[in-house]
């Protein structure tokens, strides 16, 4: 997803450092200080326009959430929403998730969400996929021992690749869905923007829940 440049996004982010962090390395090991309550921390990498992370923070005041997004415009769109709802348990990071272990200390994170990650279908682009082994090793570092990874996609190729990549890395699968929206578990599901679009077209949504 590439969004057209919006000149307001960068200044809006710069004016709201209480909600958005652009140099996350500075908070490594200290993320709980950014929230009024110390409670388990869940992160989403590639939050896009933020529907999922905002709804999760609203549904779960007992957890802290951080949405990570490398596009300034998308982060600015989520920030606008956060300025309206002012959720105390939600912080945003505008940075590349490829450097996750520089942003979070070992075991600082209780769970990681990857939703409709860019598929990068060409073989030479595999290293950019958020389920590539270099990402998995960073997830393993920052996650607590019982921490888990949740991954949803409409893209069959990325789903098949991710099953193999997680398996080769030695991850354990807790649950796999080949059509999440046809499952009774849909009751507990929190939708993303992409999920709404693709499920409305009748495309199956694949999901994996796994841990190290
Ligand atoms: C296809 S969109 C999906 C957005 C949203 N998760 C959804 O389901 O509607 C993927 C998003 O991930 C972001 N992204 C991709 N790679 C990333 C990375 N390494 N770090 C941070 N964000 C990333 C992209 O900029 C884009 O906004």
């Amino acid at each position: 997803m590439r969004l057209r440049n919006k000149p307001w996004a960068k200044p809006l982010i710069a004016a709201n450092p209480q909600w958005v962090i652009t140099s996350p390395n500075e908070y490594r090991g200290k993320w709980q200080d950014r929230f009024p309550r110390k409670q388990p921390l869940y992160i989403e990498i590639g939050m896009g326009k933020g529907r999922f992370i905002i709804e999760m923070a609203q549904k779960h005041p007992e957890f802290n959430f951080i949405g990570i997004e490398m596009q300034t415009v998308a982060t600015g769109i989520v920030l606008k929403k956060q300025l309206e709802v002012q959720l105390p348990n939600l912080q945003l990071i505008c940075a590349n998730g490829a450097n996750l272990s520089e942003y979070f200390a070992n075991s600082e994170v209780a769970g990681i969400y990857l939703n409709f990650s860019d598929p990068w279908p060409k073989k030479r682009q595999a290293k950019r996929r958020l389920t590539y082994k270099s990402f998995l090793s960073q997830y393993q570092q920052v996650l607590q021992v019982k921490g888990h990874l949740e991954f949803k996609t409409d893209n069959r190729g990325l789903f098949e690749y991710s099953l193999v990549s997680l398996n080769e890395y030695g991850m354990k699968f807790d649950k796999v869905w080949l059509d999440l929206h046809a499952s009774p578990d849909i009751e507990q599901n929190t939708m993303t923007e992409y999920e709404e679009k693709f499920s409305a077209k009748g495309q199956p949504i694949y999901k994996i829940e796994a841990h190290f």
Side-chain angles (χ1 to χ4, degrees):
M1 178 185 74
R2 275 280 133 221
L3 293 168
R4 204 172 312 143
N5 185 42
K6 300 267 190 290
W8 51 262
K10 214 172 167 185
L12 187 72
I13 289 171
N16 286 284
Q18 76 280 27
W19 297 124
V20 190
I21 295 91
T22 51
S23 26
N25 307 46
E26 289 173 21
Y27 289 94
R28 193 174 187 274
K30 295 181 280 199
W31 286 103
Q32 293 292 347
D33 298 346
R34 303 264 326 168
F35 297 95
R37 279 192 279 183
K38 293 197 191 321
Q39 41 195 18
L41 175 63
Y42 289 84
I43 65 174
E44 182 187 10
I45 307 172
M47 67 177 161
K49 294 181 184 172
R51 172 173 172 177
F52 175 85
I53 202 77
I54 286 176
E55 279 189 33
M56 288 295 281
Q58 285 169 328
K59 277 187 196 171
H60 296 287
E62 74 281 18
F63 299 138
N64 290 332
F65 292 89
I66 297 180
I68 304 173
E69 172 55 56
M70 64 183 183
Q71 286 191 68
T72 306
V73 175
T75 310
I77 291 170
V78 187
L79 172 58
K80 273 193 173 179
K81 295 177 184 170
Q82 170 66 331
L83 287 170
E84 279 172 26
V85 289
Q86 307 255 337
L87 297 169
N89 62 335
L90 175 63
Q91 289 277 311
L92 310 174
I93 293 178
C94 186
N96 191 336
N99 307 318
L100 204 69
S101 57
E102 294 174 16
Y103 309 157
F104 296 94
N106 290 3
S107 308
E108 199 171 8
V109 176
I112 297 178
Y113 298 103
L114 308 175
N115 293 315
F116 299 81
S117 309
D118 295 317
W120 297 112
K122 295 187 181 135
K123 210 173 171 184
R124 63 180 163 80
Q125 300 171 325
K127 287 184 179 166
R128 296 188 208 167
R129 296 177 196 150
L130 296 188
T131 48
Y132 185 71
K133 61 185 176 193
S134 61
F135 281 91
L136 299 181
S137 84
Q138 297 194 72
Y139 303 158
Q140 185 174 28
Q141 274 181 61
V142 305
L143 273 175
Q144 293 156 8
V145 175
K146 287 189 178 162
H148 63 276
L149 179 72
E150 292 194 23
F151 170 69
K152 282 195 283 190
T153 183
D154 64 299
N155 188 295
R156 185 173 167 150
L158 180 65
F159 178 70
E160 290 174 354
Y161 167 85
S162 302
L163 281 175
V164 174
S165 180
L166 269 59
N167 180 54
E168 282 181 350
Y169 197 86
M171 289 188 77
K172 315 249 176 347
F173 296 101
D174 301 303
K175 208 157 177 185
V176 174
W177 292 261
L178 297 177
D179 189 352
L180 177 65
H181 287 237
S183 141
D185 296 321
I186 192 64
E187 301 273 314
Q188 284 85 48
N189 185 50
T190 300
M191 287 265 257
T192 82
E193 278 91 356
Y194 266 63
E195 184 168 4
E196 184 170 38
K197 191 165 110 185
F198 291 118
S199 60
K201 288 183 187 165
Q203 284 179 231
I205 304 301
Y206 308 100
K207 182 174 175 184
I208 304 169
E209 269 181 31
H211 65 274
F212 289 96

